[in-house]
Amino acid sequence: MSRAAQDSAPYHHGDLRRTLIDRALAVIVADGVEAVSLRALARDIGVSHAAPMRHFPTRSALLAAIAKSGITALLESAGKRLADPDLSSFQKLRSMTEGYVDWAAAYPAQHMLIRNQDVMRHADRELLEEASAYARLHEELIRQAQADGWRSEQETHEVFVEITALTAGLALLASDPIYRTVLPGELSTEEISTVLDRFFLRG
Amino acid sequence: MSRAAQDSAPYHHGDLRRTLIDRALAVIVADGVEAVSLRALARDIGVSHAAPMRHFPTRSALLAAIAKSGITALLESAGKRLADPDLSSFQKLRSMTEGYVDWAAAYPAQHMLIRNQDVMRHADRELLEEASAYARLHEELIRQAQADGWRSEQETHEVFVEITALTAGLALLASDPIYRTVLPGELSTEEISTVLDRFFLRG
DNA sequence: AAATTCATGTTGCTGTTGACAACATAGAGC
DNA sequence: GCTCTATGTTGTCAACAGCAACATGAATTT
């Protein structure tokens, strides 16, 4: 069948994969993960209902891909922070920890996805491996800071649990609308810094 | 129509509401929130596909009801801990904080639900109010402990953020299978106690 | 005791969705 | 120019949430 009008949409979208991810991100931030529907995305974009399947075999695959892009961005950000040769091991640890909270605030959709069991349950091994690599990097930095005297008397794993819990919690408070609704008071970036300062600059 | 066999199911289930909640809890723990389907529950229980609607108008209502039962249990648990007249304000604060982590481990499904945006988005005002009441109670205990000298030099809200973040994070590590998969090492209850000790018994 | 009311359950329907299969299109590489 | 292949379309199915109309039987009223 020939084209009916000159300005009608081309048979091939051109960048459907990217467009799907972008729209999905917007939906997640606005209405939550549950609201992401392959067919609704296709409708909005103006392609047929099965077109998205060419790029993501399942709905879970789309969400997992977005989550993965988030983890990749997190690892890159950590890499940049750790690249500075002037930083002490302690400063690197502090910077990487702060970087996670910043990342959660900067990529709320991705942060939501990696905390979502229903998404992570369908994650492939690569994604879990990247997340795990990030955690091991964090742990290694703790070990180095301890070697340089910071909290050297404490068990590494115990410090790791302490930092991870505090960080995960701050990220939650900083980015999750539910917590911001239910909890009293506001949470400013200065306050996050202050809390991290208290934790790191003490013993 | 008369009953075909003596042992066939009665027309009225008897305690469908309770049964629905119990089955849903099992599904959530086993397969996640996403896997909860009113029709599948009905099938498993052996009632018609629309029977659950008599007790929960929507799927979200079922999940919200379960979440609410969790918050209620949390508040009750806090009430019991705080009832002991021999405890100092500091000990009460410490106990209530530990109680949250214990609760998360004891009620993993409810903990998952209240951290799920797609569930909480459809929560009624009562549920949010109960969650908020818990937070305010926690904040009030911090204020009392400060009045009795603990961290009296710090801003109350800052201490609140610190405790809430640490607690939310520990609860996550203690109960969320994703975190337990991705993170290195194990998390024992002793370790949780140790981390809380470090936090409370310092300054 | 008989009648009525009403909470609870059933059957049947609609619209949406994810997933799959068969087919269409067009651009890339030979 | 021809073919291969990535990408998009149409058509279909099963599962699901939600709604409406009807059925049942236990509790309440008369």
Side-chain angles (χ1 to χ4, degrees), chain A residues 11-12 48-50 54-55:
Chain A
Y11 191 91
H12 289 95
S48 75
H49 68 258
R54 291 292 164 193
H55 301 275

Side-chain angles (χ1 to χ4, degrees), chain A residues 111-162:
Chain A
H111 181 233
M112 251 171 74
L113 286 176
I114 64 159
R115 289 188 299 105
N116 188 315
Q117 274 206 2
D118 297 320
V119 172
M120 295 302 283
R121 181 183 302 274
H122 300 105
D124 54 7
R125 217 157 45 82
E126 276 180 76
L127 173 51
L128 294 176
E129 186 46 47
E130 277 202 74
S132 193
Y134 178 85
R136 285 196 307 272
L137 177 58
H138 206 175
E139 196 187 24
E140 179 53 31
L141 273 182
I142 294 173
R143 228 180 285 280
Q144 287 177 21
Q146 285 186 302
D148 292 348
W150 181 76
R151 300 206 174 194
S152 49
E153 81 289 349
Q154 240 178 304
E155 284 272 359
T156 299
H157 189 253
E158 192 193 311
V159 181
F160 177 78
V161 168
E162 209 173 336

Side-chain angles (χ1 to χ4, degrees), chain B residues 81-137:
Chain B
R81 283 169 182 269
L82 268 48
D84 187 340
D86 295 334
L87 293 182
S88 68
S89 59
F90 169 78
Q91 287 170 318
K92 283 182 184 173
L93 173 60
R94 158 76 202 246
S95 175
M96 182 172 174
T97 304
E98 199 155 17
Y100 182 85
V101 184
D102 288 350
W103 171 83
Y107 299 86
Q110 285 89 338
H111 181 232
M112 251 171 75
L113 286 176
I114 66 159
R115 290 188 298 106
N116 187 313
Q117 274 207 3
D118 297 321
V119 172
M120 294 303 282
R121 183 184 302 274
H122 300 106
D124 55 7
R125 217 158 44 81
E126 275 180 79
L127 173 51
L128 294 176
E129 185 47 46
E130 275 202 77
S132 192
Y134 178 84
R136 285 196 307 273
L137 177 58

Side-chain angles (χ1 to χ4, degrees), chain A residues 118 121, chain B residues 27-28 31-36 59 63 112-113 116 119:
Chain A
D118 297 320
R121 181 183 302 274
Chain B
V27 172
I28 292 170
D31 301 313
V33 179
E34 201 182 40
V36 174
R59 189 188 98 112
L63 297 177
M112 251 171 75
L113 286 176
N116 187 313
V119 172

Side-chain angles (χ1 to χ4, degrees), chain A:
Chain A
M1 187 180 82
S2 68
R3 193 65 44 70
Q6 296 166 315
D7 61 345
S8 77
Y11 191 91
H12 289 95
H13 177 275
D15 198 6
L16 184 52
R17 187 189 161 89
R18 181 74 245 160
T19 308
L20 281 167
I21 290 178
D22 289 343
R23 297 269 187 151
L25 280 171
V27 171
I28 292 170
V29 170
D31 302 313
V33 179
E34 202 182 39
V36 174
S37 143
L38 291 178
R39 290 176 100 102
L41 289 174
R43 238 186 340 263
D44 287 353
I45 295 171
V47 293
S48 75
H49 68 258
M53 301 278 181
R54 291 292 164 193
H55 301 275
F56 305 99
T58 66
R59 189 188 99 109
S60 294
L62 167 62
L63 297 177
I66 297 177
K68 183 163 186 177
S69 74
I71 298 277
T72 303
L74 176 61
L75 272 170
E76 273 176 24
S77 144
K80 276 184 196 161
R81 285 170 181 267
L82 267 49
D84 188 339
D86 295 334
L87 294 183
S88 69
S89 60
F90 170 77
Q91 287 169 319
K92 283 181 183 173
L93 174 60
R94 159 75 200 247
S95 175
M96 182 172 173
T97 304
E98 200 155 17
Y100 182 85
V101 183
D102 289 351
W103 171 83
Y107 298 85
Q110 284 87 340
H111 181 233
M112 251 171 74
L113 286 176
I114 64 159
R115 289 188 299 105
N116 188 315
Q117 274 206 2
D118 297 320
V119 172
M120 295 302 283
R121 181 183 302 274
H122 300 105
D124 54 7
R125 217 157 45 82
E126 276 180 76
L127 173 51
L128 294 176
E129 186 46 47
E130 277 202 74
S132 193
Y134 178 85
R136 285 196 307 272
L137 177 58
H138 206 175
E139 196 187 24
E140 179 53 31
L141 273 182
I142 294 173
R143 228 180 285 280
Q144 287 177 21
Q146 285 186 302
D148 292 348
W150 181 76
R151 300 206 174 194
S152 49
E153 81 289 349
Q154 240 178 304
E155 284 272 359
T156 299
H157 189 253
E158 192 193 311
V159 181
F160 177 78
V161 168
E162 209 173 336
I163 294 188
T164 304
L166 186 66
T167 310
L170 282 176
L172 226 53
L173 301 191
S175 75
D176 193 316
I178 298 170
Y179 282 79
R180 312 198 71 152
T181 306
V182 169
L183 300 183
E186 280 299 311
L187 181 66
S188 62
T189 49
E190 296 85 46
E191 204 159 24
I192 292 176
S193 277
T194 309
V195 169
L196 287 177
D197 273 338
R198 283 195 81 81
F199 178 80
F200 280 106
L201 303 179
R202 159 191 62 208

